[in-house]
Each structure stands twice: as structure tokens, then as C-alpha cells.
């Protein structure tokens, strides 16, 4: 029950974020229109109307990490709403490391990775730990790093500290594109499932830019 409430909360916040993006775009459009000539204004209004004609589908996902590969740092995902979807709707590949996009469009993507930081057993002084979150996008012909986040934390000796990295992305993806997340140090990624703390939410915003 608690996990269900958490899942709903994540989806609600993601939906709110999309609404905020739309409101900001509307406000900026109004400001620019007030400073333009009539001819320019007509062109901008036409482009704006075309952009908001695209209605998003109900494509939305919440995936939680259940493991992290020590070889390449890639997170392995499972569908938090698996019991409420058909098996044919799965978007993970056979390895669990890649998320396969089903519909082309613009997506709001939020990723959070939690870490449990600790020093090495023989360390008696604070240690600097560099945290990394890398997002890879596979286009079919090639794989490119799409985004990254990083931070450096000081960890006291003989203690375990919680830390997190997160990133919010607006991504234009095609059907069959694949998304993957790498996290380092991979041996410190927190994949506890109750409550799950490393997850990704994917919400389709529109069919095109």
C-alpha cells in the first residue's frame, strides 16, 4: 500500500512538472508577442498553436532499480506497475538495462539515484567520493551520452551516509530508441525496494516538439 501511494505521488509530481513547463512556455510567448510587429506575431502564434495541438498519449512509466551492474555501472529496472499492466506492455529489454521507447514523441524523464556512501575498511579519515549519473541514448546506429550529473561528497570514517543524484530531462525520442542509466560508484547504489529509492519516471508530453 505504501509503495502504491509513493508511485502515485511520483506520477502526480511528474504531471505537475509538465503543467509548469506549459505555463512557462505560455508566459514567455505572451511576453515576446507584446514586443513584436503584427507580421511576426502572426507567425509565432501559428507555430505555438501547432505545438499545443499535439495531445499526449497515456504513455507513462515508473521503473525502480533492482540491481546495478558492477561491470559497467548500468542500472537494471523493473516495472513498479507490473501487476497493473499486460506483459506485452513491458519496455525493458531482456537484460533489464535498457528501456525501449514504444511511441515516438517528446518525453519528460526524471531520474533519481540514491547512494549509501561509506569509507574503505582500512580508512581512518574522511574520504572524498565522486558520484556520477550518466544517461545513454541508443539510436540504433550508435549510442551517445545524452546527459550527466555529478557531485562530490566527503564521507567520515566508519560511517554510512545517504546521498542522491537526480536529473530532469525533456527528450525527443523515436520508437525503438533505447535509454540506459549508469551510476558510479556502482557498489554504493542503494537499490532497497522498501521504499524504493533509485527510480526513473517517464511521461509522454507530446507527439513532437
Amino acid at each position: 500500500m505504501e509503495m502504491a501511494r509513493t508511485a502515485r505521488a511520483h506520477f502526480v509530481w511528474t504531471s505537475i512538472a509538465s503543467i509548469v513547463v506549459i505555463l512557462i512556455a505560455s508566459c514567455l510567448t505572451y511576453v515576446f508577442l507584446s514586443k513584436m510587429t503584427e507580421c511576426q506575431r502572426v507567425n509565432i502564434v501559428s507555430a505555438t498553436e501547432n505545438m499545443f495541438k499535439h495531445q499526449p498519449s497515456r504513455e507513462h512509466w515508473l521503473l525502480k532499480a533492482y540491481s546495478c551492474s558492477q561491470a559497467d555501472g548500468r542500472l537494471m529496472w523493473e516495472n513498479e506497475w507490473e501487476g497493473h499492466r499486460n506483459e506485452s506492455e513491458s519496455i525493458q529489454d531482456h537484460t533489464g538495462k535498457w528501456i525501449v521507447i514504444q511511441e515516438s514523441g517528446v518525453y519528460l524523464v526524471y531520474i533519481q539515484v540514491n547512494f549509501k556512501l561509506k569509507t574503505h575498511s582500512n580508512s581512518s579519515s574522511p574520504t572524498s567520493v565522486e558520484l556520477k549519473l550518466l544517461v545513454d541514448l541508443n539510436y540504433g546506429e550508435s549510442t551517445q551520452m545524452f546527459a550527466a550529473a555529478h557531485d562530490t561528497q566527503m564521507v567520515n570514517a566508519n560511517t554510512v551516509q545517504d546521498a542522491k543524484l537526480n536529473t530532469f530531462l525533456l527528450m525527443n525520442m523515436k520508437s525503438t530508441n533505447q535509454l540506459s542509466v549508469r551510476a558510479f560508484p556502482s557498489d554504493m547504489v542503494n537499490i532497497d525496494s522498501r521504499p524504493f529509492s533509485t527510480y526513473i519516471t517517464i511521461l509522454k508530453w507530446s507527439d513532437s516538439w
Side-chain angles (χ1 to χ4, degrees):
M1 182 65 69
E2 182 63 28
M3 292 181 65
R5 285 198 297 268
T6 304
R8 286 195 298 271
H10 290 319
F11 179 67
V12 168
W13 281 111
T14 306
S15 301
I16 291 174
S18 66
I19 294 173
V20 170
V21 171
I22 293 173
L23 290 176
I24 292 174
S26 300
C27 292
L28 290 176
T29 300
Y30 174 79
V31 172
F32 290 143
L33 287 177
S34 64
K35 297 182 179 181
M36 290 184 174
T37 64
E38 186 64 29
C39 181
Q40 290 174 317
R41 189 176 298 120
V42 169
N43 291 335
I44 293 295
V45 169
S46 177
T48 303
E49 288 178 347
N50 289 334
M51 180 180 69
F52 286 105
K53 281 180 181 178
H54 299 291
Q55 296 298 322
S57 72
R58 300 185 65 181
E59 187 81 356
H60 56 274
W61 299 89
L62 171 59
L63 306 177
K64 61 182 180 181
Y66 70 87
S67 185
C68 184
S69 171
Q70 299 302 301
D72 56 12
R74 294 194 188 279
L75 295 172
M76 302 177 199
W77 306 100
E78 59 184 2
N79 185 10
E80 173 60 18
W81 294 324
E82 185 173 5
H84 305 283
R85 289 183 181 269
N86 297 326
E87 292 183 3
S88 60
E89 292 183 293
S90 175
I91 60 171
Q92 299 98 275
D93 73 346
H94 68 282
T95 69
K97 297 180 180 181
W98 291 89
I99 299 169
V100 184
I101 301 303
Q102 306 297 302
E103 298 180 6
S104 298
V106 178
Y107 287 82
L108 294 168
V109 179
Y110 178 78
I111 305 167
Q112 177 172 299
V113 179
N114 277 52
F115 298 86
K116 284 190 175 297
L117 308 181
K118 54 182 180 288
T119 58
H120 296 292
S121 58
N122 58 353
S123 176
S124 59
S125 59
T127 301
S128 174
V129 178
E130 185 177 3
L131 309 179
K132 292 182 180 179
L133 187 165
L134 309 176
V135 181
D136 295 326
L137 188 60
N138 186 313
Y139 299 93
E141 301 83 8
S142 62
T143 299
Q144 297 180 1
M145 188 175 70
F146 185 86
H150 62 86
D151 190 18
T152 300
Q153 296 278 340
M154 293 300 298
V155 184
N156 296 321
N158 303 318
T159 62
V160 177
Q161 297 175 207
D162 292 328
K164 69 179 179 181
L165 282 178
N166 52 58
T167 185
F168 181 81
L169 306 170
L170 185 63
M171 304 178 69
N172 185 18
M173 295 185 283
K174 304 297 184 183
S175 175
T176 73
N177 282 175
Q178 298 184 19
L179 186 69
S180 182
V181 181
R182 288 179 286 155
F184 303 96
S186 56
D187 62 327
M188 295 185 186
V189 174
N190 182 6
I191 55 174
D192 291 343
S193 58
R194 293 186 179 276
F196 59 90
S197 53
T198 297
Y199 61 91
I200 179 172
T201 61
I202 302 174
L203 173 67
K204 187 175 180 182
W205 178 49
S206 68
D207 291 331
S208 62
W209 286 114

